[in-house]
Amino acid sequence: MTIELIRPGRNRIAPAPKPLVSRDCGPEGCEVDWLASRRVEAELDVEAFTRFSLEMGWGDGLPLIPPTDARVRTFLSENDRYPDEVIGMMPGNVECTVEKIVINAVMAGAPAESLELLIAMISSIADPDFELYGVNATTASVYPAFVVNGPIRQALDIPYSYGCLGGVPGVSAPIGRAIRLIMRNVAGQVAGVTSQTTFGSPGRVAGIVTGEWEEKSPWAPLGERRGVSGNAVTSFGTMGTMNVLDTTSHSASDFLEMIGKSYAYAGCNNFSGAVPFGEALIAINPICAEIVAREMPNIEDVQETLWKFASVDANDLNAQHRDQLAGQGRVRADGRIYAAPEPKDILVFVAGGLGGLHAAGFHTFGTSLAQTKPVAEIVPAEHSIAAE
């Protein structure tokens, strides 16, 4: 059983963004107003605007910066993108344009330098195989987690060491928050209305935006292993984070056994009969990765060992669950049920601080498949445009 064979989007046609039309207005430029969003009168005071945004259904409860014409144009002027460029199609067949991304980025407090990363993140979750429709509407507490690779980590100060999954000051929270606002204001995810999420999650405020500590990793970067070298972002629909601590093991296989067995608990979505398959995302901190790589220099061996241990004995499940999964062909000849179809579906990256032997597991929502997209090089806008 492979994800390639059963991927949900294999029969879908990815919506094609509209081609750009010529913007040549001659050497003197033109006075066309490319901003197409509806203008609404509102107070500029942050507290007043935040209250207003909640009344309008735009806000998440935290203070929002009013996305005035001037702020949106300034944000755009520091980049080289047309505001009506369509980046992806959101649920409801809604176009997500650069302008809509910028408006929500301004409200979230994300810096203008993050636009190309935001565009790549939106492109990744708009891919049909990410299954954003399901992510938005499900009863689960799923939200996107993003792993950033390449020099853009340093350029934007994306965290990849201590506290990289949340809690360190910097741009990752506003960038993640911008994505979450877009999922609300463009993709239409509203709890109790379009979203049936039972509990929700703190991750539904600012998501997870982390880098990979490539310089400390004994293996090739995650993005490169998934076909994108250099600046890249990988999105993963996760149910949250799970910490694994192992201060006892000494060998690679022992560490990976602890991580794999910790990941495989019966009630996670990976073993649900309602979820026919799923991937797994696992972060290993640099100290643990160094120990593992002494015995396993090939990442494929790490994935296979984790895959083997991230499984449960079918007899440990009650008859109803066991029979349902058996009916789906998920009980293998060895009597075990595996969290992911194949070892390659265990996605591994290196991140985290150097203070202890920790790993972090991210459980899948289900049929939402991880997507890796390139992040375009930041191209400063022409001086003449910036001065407009």
Side-chain angles (χ1 to χ4, degrees):
M1 180 167 59
T2 68
I3 284 180
E4 278 76 10
L5 292 175
I6 56 179
R7 59 197 308 175
R10 63 176 177 153
N11 294 321
R12 298 179 189 166
I13 299 175
K18 293 180 180 177
L20 289 173
V21 298
S22 172
R23 309 303 176 93
D24 185 2
C25 298
E28 301 301 324
C30 59
E31 296 182 353
V32 173
D33 183 358
W34 298 113
L35 297 184
S37 297
R38 179 169 59 97
R39 269 66 162 184
V40 177
E41 290 190 13
E43 295 186 49
L44 297 182
D45 174 76
V46 170
E47 291 184 8
F49 180 74
T50 300
R51 288 194 298 271
F52 179 67
S53 70
L54 290 173
E55 294 170 2
M56 299 295 287
W58 305 330
D60 56 11
L62 296 176
L64 290 172
I65 297 173
T68 61
D69 257 29
R71 289 190 173 115
V72 172
R73 290 179 190 279
T74 298
F75 198 110
L76 283 165
S77 74
E78 296 179 19
N79 290 276
D80 191 24
R81 289 275 188 170
Y82 292 119
D84 59 346
E85 183 179 352
V86 178
I87 302 304
M89 303 302 291
M90 299 283 105
N93 205 31
V94 176
E95 295 177 342
C96 186
T97 63
V98 169
E99 180 177 343
K100 291 176 180 176
I101 293 172
V102 170
I103 290 171
N104 286 280
V106 168
M107 288 199 293
E113 299 78 29
S114 66
L115 180 58
E116 291 300 337
L117 177 59
L118 286 166
I119 286 173
M121 294 161 82
I122 289 297
S123 176
S124 72
I125 66 173
D127 189 294
D129 281 351
F130 188 82
E131 186 77 304
L132 186 57
Y133 286 86
V135 169
N136 264 13
T138 179
T139 59
S141 305
V142 59
Y143 58 92
F146 298 94
V147 181
V148 181
N149 283 113
I152 196 170
R153 294 165 302 142
Q154 285 88 359
L156 291 178
D157 198 19
I158 302 294
Y160 47 76
S161 60
Y162 297 93
C164 60
L165 299 184
V168 294
V171 301
S172 62
I175 290 173
R177 188 186 180 204
I179 296 296
R180 292 296 308 153
L181 289 175
I182 292 167
M183 291 180 69
R184 162 184 285 273
N185 297 327
V186 183
Q189 186 188 63
V190 179
V193 183
T194 57
S195 167
Q196 297 304 305
T197 182
T198 305
F199 289 113
S201 167
R204 286 196 165 206
V205 178
I208 293 175
V209 181
T210 182
E212 179 170 19
W213 200 340
E214 299 174 13
E215 295 77 7
K216 290 282 188 182
S217 174
W219 306 294
L222 175 65
E224 182 177 323
R225 284 185 273 123
R226 291 175 58 82
V228 182
S229 299
N231 289 332
V233 63
T234 298
S235 57
F236 184 87
T238 185
M239 299 288 290
T241 62
M242 176 203 70
N243 189 73
V244 181
L245 172 64
D246 185 355
T247 57
T248 304
S249 295
H250 294 281
S251 70
S253 59
D254 286 347
F255 276 118
L256 298 178
E257 178 180 356
M258 173 62 84
I259 296 170
K261 286 182 174 178
S262 299
Y263 189 92
Y265 69 89
C268 74
N269 280 31
N270 292 68
F271 297 107
S272 169
V275 179
F277 60 90
E279 297 169 312
L281 179 66
I282 293 173
I284 301 177
N285 92 320
I287 303 299
C288 187
E290 181 181 354
I291 295 171
V292 170
R294 289 173 192 162
E295 297 177 39
M296 297 184 185
N298 296 319
I299 189 67
E300 292 82 5
D301 294 332
V302 177
Q303 291 174 290
E304 182 165 0
T305 304
L306 284 169
W307 177 78
K308 180 178 67 175
F309 287 115
S311 62
V312 295
D313 188 320
N315 291 320
D316 288 343
L317 303 180
N318 68 34
Q320 286 181 315
H321 288 280
R322 184 176 61 246
D323 292 348
Q324 185 179 31
L325 293 171
Q328 297 173 349
R330 295 190 59 192
V331 180
R332 305 293 177 95
D334 59 4
R336 301 192 69 79
I337 304 164
Y338 291 79
E342 294 184 357
K344 67 174 178 52
D345 304 317
I346 306 287
L347 312 180
V348 178
F349 69 104
V350 175
L354 306 177
L357 292 164
H358 292 262
F362 306 80
H363 289 90
T364 183
F365 149 64
T367 54
S368 172
L369 299 182
Q371 302 297 317
T372 299
K373 301 291 183 184
V375 181
E377 183 178 353
I378 299 172
V379 180
E382 294 294 331
H383 177 74
S384 59
I385 296 176
E388 287 180 350

